[in-house]
C-alpha cells in the first residue's frame, strides 16, 4: 500500500490540477478548462488546431507556414535521414540544410495526414456481430470495417474535397468505432535537420530525462503536384516561448496506452510480453553495438535502428517497473470489482472471459509472435517477400475477405514502401535474420515443426547468410515486377526468400487464425461489454486509450519534485556546454563550438510541462491559448513512461524544445535566414536582407 | 489460485513421494528413507559417501579410483579447458585425452575439497551481536567468523590430520552457523574430456531440456606432492546404471536456493534484481555472439564465457517466470502470516523489518552492484587491479578487521588466481569493460559523481580501449611483484588500471559500507529471528537453503507428465544421431561418426530422476543404496529452475549422464583402455591387455 499512500500524500501538497486526458477533438472538455484556467477554447480554435496538426508515419507534426512548411522532431525524420544517406555519408552526422526549395529532398517513406472529419460508425460495427460466436463476430467486425472504409474512400473521391484516406478507429477498447478521414500528402521533403550530436545531445543516457538539452527539431515541407502545398491552416510560432505555470495544450497522435485494459491484461504484459521483449531487444542491442564497432561505415548503418531500439528498451523497462507496483495492481483490481458489482452485467463475467483468453495467449504468444508476427524473421527482405507472397494471394480475394493489412485502402502505402529505392545493407540484414532465427529455435525448441522445416541441415547463421546472399529482392525493380505480376509472377519466382515465405506461410496463417479466434476474438467481445458497462456507470465524459489518432490535452508549464528536490521547468544553453565531454553522445558539434561566442548562453533550451502525452506525440506542437506554438514536444520525463498504464499528475511530465533555441540555432549557428523569414522569426536585419534579395 | 489448485490436484494423482530436501549429512532423514523405500542408510554409508564426494571451485565431483581419479562434468572443466587452450587451438573443440599420467595437465584454477568434519558454532556467533544495533552486530558477526576460521586452521595445522581449510557456513538464513573443515587438493589435473560438440550436444537450445543427449562428463585427477593422491575413499561405478523407479541419492554441493526467503525478498528479485540481470546478460550475449562472428579465433575466445552466460540467462528467465506466479506468492504470504501469528514474537515484526531494508536496497542496489560489486567494471584485469589495491590495504590490518574476502584463510586462493599464467585476450577484455562502463553510465546517469570522475572527457569505449591497451597487468610476473611488494609497491604503481581502482575505491568502499549497514545488517538480524521462530514452530526436522556446502538427497529414477504426455526417464544413443544437423550445437563429432558402426545404438544416454538438486550439484554422483555410482548429474529439466524458490515434486527433475554411455564412449570412440581399467569398467580383453602392458 505504500505506493498509493504516497500518491495521496502528494495530492495534498500539489495544486489540484489533474491535467490527465488524451481527448478526442469532438469531446474536449472546454468547459472544464474554462473553469480551471479561464481560457476560452472555441470550436473555431479546435478546428484551426486540428487542421494545422499533422500525423506523420510514426510521429506528429504541424504546419508552420502557408507554403506547407512542417515542424517536427529530428528523431521523427531519422528514418528519412538514414534512407537519404549512404554507407559512407550520413545525414545523421552532418545534418542537412536545403538552401533553396530545389534542394529540398523527398523522404522516400514519409507522408503527412491531416484529419478532415470523423464519423461515428459504432452502431453498424457493434451490431454486425450480434448473434454470432466470438470468433465469427470478430471476423464480421473486420469485414464491415473494410467495407465502410472502402465506401468512404469511394464517396470522397467523387466529392469536391478530393479523395480522402479513410481509416476505421476503435476507441474505448471497442466502446466506440469511428471513421477518420484524412487528407494525405504523399510528397514530403526534407528541408532542415541539425546534426544528431546536438539534436540528440545526451543520447540514450539522457533519453526520458529532464533537465535536458536536446535540439530535437527538424523541418519538412509538404508538396502537391511538385509544388509546395498551399496550407492556409498553420500555427504561428511565438519564439518567446511560454512562462512558468502558463496554460498550454498539446495536439497530436499519442500512439498507444493501456489505461483501460484489465488487470489480467496488465499482468500478461508484466509476466510475459514485457520480459520477452526486453530480453530480445537487449540482446539485439548488444549485437548492433558490437556490429557497429567494426568500422565507421557499419556504425552508420546501425545508428538509426540502434536509437530506435534503445528508446524501446527504456520504455519497456520503465513500463515493467510500473507494473511491478503491486499496490497499483491491487487498486486496478478494486476498481474492476466496483464496476463489476455496480454494472449488474448479465451473462458470463467479461473479466473472467479475458482471463480465460489470456491463458490461451500464454500458450500461443511465442509461436504467434515469432512465426506470424515476424519476430522469427527480422529482415527487411523477408518483410518484402511476405508482402509479395501474401499480397499476391490476398489481392485475388474480394476486398472485405482480405487480411486487413491488404485491403484496397492499405495498398498505396504497401506499394510506396515496396517500390522505394532505399538502401538495404546485406551485412545488417544477415545480422537481424540470423539473430531472429536463432532465438526462434531457442524459444520454440529445436524439435518444433517450423524449426525442423528450416534448420535441419543449416545453422541459423548459415541459413541467414545463404538467404541474404542469394535473394535478389534488394532490387526495387524486381520487387515492382513481382508485385505487378501478381500471383503468377510470385509463384514462378525461385528467389530463396520468396521460397522461405512460401514454405512457412501455411504455418504462419494457421497460428494467426488460432490466435485471432482464441485470443483476439474473446478479448474483443468481453472488452466491448466492459466498455458498455463503463459508459453506463461513468458516462462518456472520459477519454479513450491512445490509438495513434488525433487528441488534444491541456496542462501547464511546470517542473516537479524529485526525491524532495524541485526540478525547474526550463533549462538553458550554458549548461549544455558545461555537460559536453567531447565524445558522442555528449559531443557538441563543431558548428556550435565555432558559433559559441555569438550565442546567448542564457537562451532557454527545453521545457517541462504537465501535459499527458506518450510516444506518437513526438513532434507535437505545444500551443498557448491564443493558438500559437510555444514549444515542440519531443519526450517525457522518466515517470511519464508509467503513463502507459496510469497518469500520475505529481510527476508525469512532458518535455518540449523551447522555440527560442530553435531561432538561436537557425540564426546564429546555421545561418538559415530564408527559413527564419518563412517562420516569421527573422530579426529585423535578416528580414530586411531577405527582402532585398527577393 | 489456479497454480495452487493444480498442484493439489497433481498431488492426488502422483505417488506420494515428496523427495524434497537438500539435507546436511548430520541431519539426513535415514528413518524416513527406510520407511518409504526400505533402504538402510547407515552412518558408515554416509561417512564413505561424504569422504568420496568433492567440492570443486564451482561444481561437485567424486573420487572414482584409489589413485585420485575424479569424475565430474565436462562443463565443470570448461574454464580449465579454456585456460589450457590458445587463441588458435581450443581443447573445447578437440577434447583432451592423456595417454598416460605424464600427459595429465594441471588446471591452473582448480581445487578439490573433501569435507572432513563440521562444528556447530551457532552459540558463539549468535551471541556475538547481543545488545548491539544491527549494523554493529553484523560487523561483530563477521569478526567472530574470521577469528573462528583462523583458530580452526591453526589448530588443524598442529594436528596429525594435516592442515585443513576451515570455512564458516550460515545455514537456515542465520538460524545456525557451522565451521566446515576441508582437506584441500590444490593440484588437480586434466585427464580426459570429450569434444564440446558431444559433451554439450544440443547446446543452449537443449540446456535444461529432457529428453537429452549430452555426454557431459570429464575426468580429472588429484595430485599430492606431484604424485597421484592416495584416495581410499572412492565410489565404484556400476556401468549398468539404475532401473526405472529405483531409489537413488545425490551427494554434492548445491549452490544457492531462496526457499526460506521472505515474500518481500522474492518480490525484490522479481521486480529488481532479475529484470536488471536479464537485460544486462542478454545484451552481453548479443555482444559476445557478434564478437565471435569476426573470425574463428574470436569465436573460440568467447565460447566458454558465452556458454556460462547463456546458462545464467535461461536460469534467471525461468526464475522470473516462477516468481510471476501470483498464486505461489500469495501462498508464501499466507505461510508467513501463519508463522507470524503462531510464533508470538516480541519486538518489531521481522518481516516488516526486511521490507524496510528492501526499500533501502531498491535505492542502493544499482550503485552497489555497479561500483562495488564490479558490474560497472567487467574485466579480469580490473579484478586483478582491485585485488592488488585492496589486498595491499587489507593485509596491513589485523585479520578479523579485514574485509572477509581478504582474511588469512582466503589468501591462498587469491594468490593462486592472481599468479596463474592464464591467457588474457585484450580484445575481449575491451569488450566487457566498455560494455560495463556504458551500462554504468546508463543506469547511474551521466551526472553521477563516479561517472563524472571516469567519463568527463572519454567515452566508455575510449576509456576501456586506453586502459586495456596501456595496463601491464596481463603479465603474471608483474602481478606477483605488486602483490608481494604490498602497499609500497602498489602505491608506487602508475599502471592505469591500478590508478582507476584507486580513483574510485573510496566511493566503492563507501557504498559497500552503506549497503552492509542499511541492507545486509537489518536483513540478517530479522532473518535470524524468523529462523528462531521457525525452529520453534517446526523443529529442526527440515533442511537449510543451499549454500554450496555438502548435502545429500534421495529420489527415484522417473520421468514426469508434460502437457498430458508422459516423458520416459531414459534416452538412448540412436536418437542423438537422428537429431544431428551437422551444424553446432547439433553436430556429432567426427570421432563418433567414424565409430558409429561399432556402437551399440541402444546404449542408454541420459536419465531423469526426482532428486532435488540445483546449480552447484553439477558433477554430483548419482548413487544407489549400495553406494555405487549409477549416473553423473549434469542438469535439471526446465521445471527444476523454479526449484530455486520451491520444490514441485510433480515435475521437478534432475538429469544425469548414464554410466553405460560413458563406458561406450571411452571404449569404442576414444579407445581409452587405461582409464577403463582404472575405472574397473574394462571388458575382459581390455583388462588382459592392460595387464600385459604393465
Amino acid at each position: 500500500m505504500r505506493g498509493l499512500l504516497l500518491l495521496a500524500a502528494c495530492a495534498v501538497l500539489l495544486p489540484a490540477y489533474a491535467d490527465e486526458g488524451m481527448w478526442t477533438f469532438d469531446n474536449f472538455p472546454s468547459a472544464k478548462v474554462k473553469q480551471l484556467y479561464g481560457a476560452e477554447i472555441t470550436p473555431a480554435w479546435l478546428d484551426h488546431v486540428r487542421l494545422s496538426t499533422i500525423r506523420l508515419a510514426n510521429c506528429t507534426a504541424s504546419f508552420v507556414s502557408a507554403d506547407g512548411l512542417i515542424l517536427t522532431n529530428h528523431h521523427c525524420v531519422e528514418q528519412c535521414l538514414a534512407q537519404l544517406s549512404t554507407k559512407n555519408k550520413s545525414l545523421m552526422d552532418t545534418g542537412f540544410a536545403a538552401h533553396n526549395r530545389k534542394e529540398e529532398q523527398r523522404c522516400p517513406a514519409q507522408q503527412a495526414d491531416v484529419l478532415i472529419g470523423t464519423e461515428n460508425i459504432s452502431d453498424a460495427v457493434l451490431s454486425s456481430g450480434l448473434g454470432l460466436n466470438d470468433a465469427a463476430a470478430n471476423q464480421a467486425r473486420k469485414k464491415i470495417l473494410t467495407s465502410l472504409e472502402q465506401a468512404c474512400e469511394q464517396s470522397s473521391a467523387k466529392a469536391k474535397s478530393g479523395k480522402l484516406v479513410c481509416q476505421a478507429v476503435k476507441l474505448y477498447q471497442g466502446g466506440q468505432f469511428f471513421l477518420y478521414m484524412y487528407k494525405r500528402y504523399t510528397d514530403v521533403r526534407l528541408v532542415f535537420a541539425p546534426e544528431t550530436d546536438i539534436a540528440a545531445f545526451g543520447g540514450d543516457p539522457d533519453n526520458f530525462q529532464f533537465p535536458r538539452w536536446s535540439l530535437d527539431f527538424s523541418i519538412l515541407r509538404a508538396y502537391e503536384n511538385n509544388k509546395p502545398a498551399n496550407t492556409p491552416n498553420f500555427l504561428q510560432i511565438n519564439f518567446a516561448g511560454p512562462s512558468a505555470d502558463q496554460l498550454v495544450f498539446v495536439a497530436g497522435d499519442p500512439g498507444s496506452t493501456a489505461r483501460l485494459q484489465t488487470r489480467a491484461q496488465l499482468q500478461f504484459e508484466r509476466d510475459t510480453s514485457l520480459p520477452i521483449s526486453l530480453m530480445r531487444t537487449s540482446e539485439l542491442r548488444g549485437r548492433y553495438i558490437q556490429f557497429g564497432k567494426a568500422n565507421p561505415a557499419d556504425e552508420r548503418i546501425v545508428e538509426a535502428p540502434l536509437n530506435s531500439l534503445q528508446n524501446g528498451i527504456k520504455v519497456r523497462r520503465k513500463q515493467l517497473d510500473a507494473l511491478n507496483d503491486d499496490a497499483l495492481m491491487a487498486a486496478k483490481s478494486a476498481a474492476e470489482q466496483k464496476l463489476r458489482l455496480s454494472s449488474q452485467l448479465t451473462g458470463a463475467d467479461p473479466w473472467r472471459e479475458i482471463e480465460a483468453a489470456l491463458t490461451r495467449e500464454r500458450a500461443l504468444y511465442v509461436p504467434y509472435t515469432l512465426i506470424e508476427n515476424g519476430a522469427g524473421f527480422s529482415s527487411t527482405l523477408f518483410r518484402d517477400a511476405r508482402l509479395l507472397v501474401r499480397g499476391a494471394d490476398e489481392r485475388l480475394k474480394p476486398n472485405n475477405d482480405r487480411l486487413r493489412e491488404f485491403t484496397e485502402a492499405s495498398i498505396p502505402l504497401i506499394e510506396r514502401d515496396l517500390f522505394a529505392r532505399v538502401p538495404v545493407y546485406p551485412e545488417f540484414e544477415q545480422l537481424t535474420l540470423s539473430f531472429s532465427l536463432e532465438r526462434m529455435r531457442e524459444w520454440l525448441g529445436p524439435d518444433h515443426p517450423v524449426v525442423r522445416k528450416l534448420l535441419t541441415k543449416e545453422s541459423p547463421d548459415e541459413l541467414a547468410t545463404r538467404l541474404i546472399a542469394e535473394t535478389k529482392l534488394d532490387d526495387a525493380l524486381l520487387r515492382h515486377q513481382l508485385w505487378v505480376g501478381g500471383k503468377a509472377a510470385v509463384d514462378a519466382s525461385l528467389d530463396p526468400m520468396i521460397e522461405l515465405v512460401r514454405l512457412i506461410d501455411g504455418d504462419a496463417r494457421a497460428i494467426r487464425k488460432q490466435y485471432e479466434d482464441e485470443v483476439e476474438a474473446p478479448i474483443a467481445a468481453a472488452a466491448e461489454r466492459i466498455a458498455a458497462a463503463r459508459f453506463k456507470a461513468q458516462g462518456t465524459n472520459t477519454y479513450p486509450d491512445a490509438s495513434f489518432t488525433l487528441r488534444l490535452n491541456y496542462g501547464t508549464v511546470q517542473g516537479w519534485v524529485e526525491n524532495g528536490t524541485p526540478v525547474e521547468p526550463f533549462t538553458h544553453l550554458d549548461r549544455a556546454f558545461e555537460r559536453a565531454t567531447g565524445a558522442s553522445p555528449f559531443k557538441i558539434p563543431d558548428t556550435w563550438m565555432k558559433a559559441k561566442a555569438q550565442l546567448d548562453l542564457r537562451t532557454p533550451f527545453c521545457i517541462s510541462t504537465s501535459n499527458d502525452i506518450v510516444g506518437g506525440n513526438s513532434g507535437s506542437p505545444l500551443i498557448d491559448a491564443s493558438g500559437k506554438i510555444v514549444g515542440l514536444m519531443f519526450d517525457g520525463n522518466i515517470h511519464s513512461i508509467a503513463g502507459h498504464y496510469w497518469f500520475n499528475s505529481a510527476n508525469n511530465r512532458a518535455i518540449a524544445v523551447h522555440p527560442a533555441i530553435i531561432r538561436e540555432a537557425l540564426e546564429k549557428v546555421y545561418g538559415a535566414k530564408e527559413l527564419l523569414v518563412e517562420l516569421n522569426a527573422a530579426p529585423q536585419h535578416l528580414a530586411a536582407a531577405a527582402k532585398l534579395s527577393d
Side-chain angles (χ1 to χ4, degrees), chain A residues 62 84 105 129 246 288 450 468 520 569 582 596 603-604:
Chain A
S62 57
L84 297 178
Q105 286 203 39
Q246 183 177 322
Y288 282 6
V450 171
I468 300 300
E520 187 184 275
K596 188 175 176 188
T603 306

Side-chain angles (χ1 to χ4, degrees), chain A residues 5 134 206 236 276 278 286 290 314 357 360 406 450 485 489 531 561 564 598 630 645:
Chain A
L5 287 175
D134 289 348
D206 271 8
Q236 280 203 315
I276 290 175
L278 279 166
Q290 202 63 31
K314 200 174 273 193
R360 287 301 297 146
F406 289 100
V450 171
V561 176
Q598 280 72 53
V630 292
Y645 303 110

